[in-house]
Amino acid sequence: MAQTPSHTLEQTLSIIKPDAVEQNQIGNIIEYFERDGLNVVAAKMIHLSTEQAKSFYAVHAEKPFYEDLVKFMTSGPALIMVLEGENAITRNREIMGATDPSKADAGTIRCDFATSIERNAVHGSDSAEAAKKEILFFFKPNEIFRRT
């Protein structure tokens, strides 16, 4: 009987936010993902409209930071990506580091590139269901390269 592998090939959404794009850190941030075995299988740079940002972050609509988040995410272009790899969702979150860069581990994206909890350089899906929903928000299935 074959053993079930302990690793699962997954896809997750990753956003390099306007602050990191403005700082010309796109290549440096992608290097963190690739160095840890995550592959970029789709990417597009867009300047989110207010409507897009409000819809994408609707889960936070009742939170006090929602309007500031929408304003920030519409302040400039962002690089939207689909990352693929074994346990991509968890690994991406580990690579990003804590939301608050002052609490992020050394060597994580947020420790190295974020300037505040609000301007924290990157976004990543927090679950498999969120990843699926977030990927479909930005990408059509034929826009995603399949590595398998």
Side-chain angles (χ1 to χ4, degrees):
M1 184 186 294
Q3 289 188 350
T4 305
S6 61
H7 300 288
T8 305
L9 189 66
E10 295 176 325
Q11 291 183 341
T12 189
L13 189 84
S14 176
I15 300 176
I16 300 178
K17 294 181 178 182
D19 56 327
V21 171
E22 182 182 342
Q23 296 168 21
N24 293 316
Q25 298 298 338
I26 292 171
N28 293 326
I29 290 171
I30 290 173
E31 181 182 353
Y32 280 62
F33 299 130
E34 291 179 335
R35 186 173 52 219
D36 201 27
L38 297 178
N39 299 301
V40 177
V41 295
K44 59 174 79 169
M45 186 173 290
I46 62 173
H47 195 143
L48 289 171
S49 68
T50 299
E51 294 74 29
Q52 285 174 308
K54 283 185 173 185
S55 179
F56 185 75
Y57 287 106
V59 67
H60 299 302
E62 301 303 317
K63 296 183 179 157
F65 60 82
Y66 176 70
E67 290 300 326
D68 288 338
L69 176 61
V70 169
K71 185 176 178 181
F72 166 59
M73 289 303 295
T74 59
S75 68
L79 184 68
I80 317 295
M81 300 178 291
V82 177
L83 303 176
E84 183 178 83
E86 290 185 3
N87 300 311
I89 297 162
T90 299
R91 288 174 62 208
N92 179 39
R93 297 194 64 78
E94 290 169 355
I95 295 164
M96 289 190 308
T99 303
D100 181 345
S102 70
K103 297 178 181 171
D105 290 339
T108 62
I109 292 170
R110 288 180 172 146
C111 177
D112 294 348
F113 300 106
T115 56
S116 70
I117 195 167
E118 293 84 16
R119 298 174 62 84
N120 62 12
V122 287
H123 164 89
S125 303
D126 63 4
S127 67
E129 64 185 49
K132 184 174 183 178
K133 180 181 174 187
E134 291 177 355
I135 289 168
L136 290 174
F137 186 90
F138 289 108
F139 294 95
K140 297 175 183 149
N142 68 346
E143 294 177 315
I144 301 171
F145 174 71
R146 301 285 178 199
R147 305 277 283 174
T148 56

